[in-house]
Amino acid sequence: MSDPNIVGGCLCGAVRYTATADPAAVALCHCKDCQRQSGAPFSLNVLIEDASLVIEGDVKVYGTTGTGTGQPRERKFCGDCGSPILTTLAEMPGMAAIKAGTLDDPSWLEPELELWVDRRQPWVLGSEDRGEFATDLPT
């Protein structure tokens, strides 16, 4: 059953999305790419089946290569206001990482994992309640 809270959009409202599947995971990512893309010390991501997403509006795609993995990424963002919406990763086919800040109601989120903790800023505290990975998830 889908979580009705997986609904969101960009800052200006030109891009909206909904998901029809439950999240596979909620993860904090401390990689340098997420830090740069989010403008923050980490990115909070909701991992969801890509096929369950319905996106409406003018979404632009920027292709990058993960600096830690060398794998391709597609970063999707609003073509009007530039808000990051989601990222897809080649090493996780069929999945999308929704940027949690774009959810209409992110209050239910609780991170389960932290990735790239070797790049976590020293003033960001970890938690014993979350699984931690020095780099990416093991394959």
Side-chain angles (χ1 to χ4, degrees):
M1 173 184 260
S2 160
D3 188 314
N5 292 320
I6 304 179
V7 175
C10 67
L11 183 63
C12 73
V15 173
R16 298 290 302 161
Y17 64 82
T18 58
T20 58
D22 291 328
V26 177
L28 293 172
C29 184
H30 300 278
C31 80
K32 190 62 177 170
D33 294 339
C34 279
Q35 290 177 15
R36 286 188 173 150
Q37 185 267 331
S38 69
F42 55 81
S43 179
L44 180 58
N45 300 285
V46 178
L47 299 175
I48 193 87
E49 292 176 21
D50 195 28
S52 76
L53 282 170
V54 175
I55 301 173
E56 297 176 351
D58 181 24
V59 177
K60 300 292 184 190
V61 177
Y62 181 71
T64 63
T65 300
T67 57
T69 65
Q71 297 291 318
R73 275 100 175 80
E74 283 192 346
R75 299 184 182 276
K76 297 182 180 182
F77 60 97
C78 175
D80 291 333
C81 69
S83 295
I85 303 297
L86 64 88
T87 301
T88 57
L89 299 88
E91 64 269 33
M92 295 181 70
M95 299 299 288
I98 296 172
K99 302 305 175 181
T102 65
L103 290 166
D104 289 350
D105 177 14
S107 66
W108 57 273
L109 295 175
E110 187 170 338
E112 315 163 54
L113 305 168
E114 289 194 53
L115 308 173
W116 293 95
V117 296
D118 65 343
R119 296 187 180 166
R120 180 169 53 202
Q121 297 300 314
W123 49 268
V124 175
L125 303 177
S127 170
E128 293 179 7
D129 296 333
R130 292 190 285 266
E132 292 189 353
F133 297 87
T135 57
D136 214 345
L137 285 172
T139 55

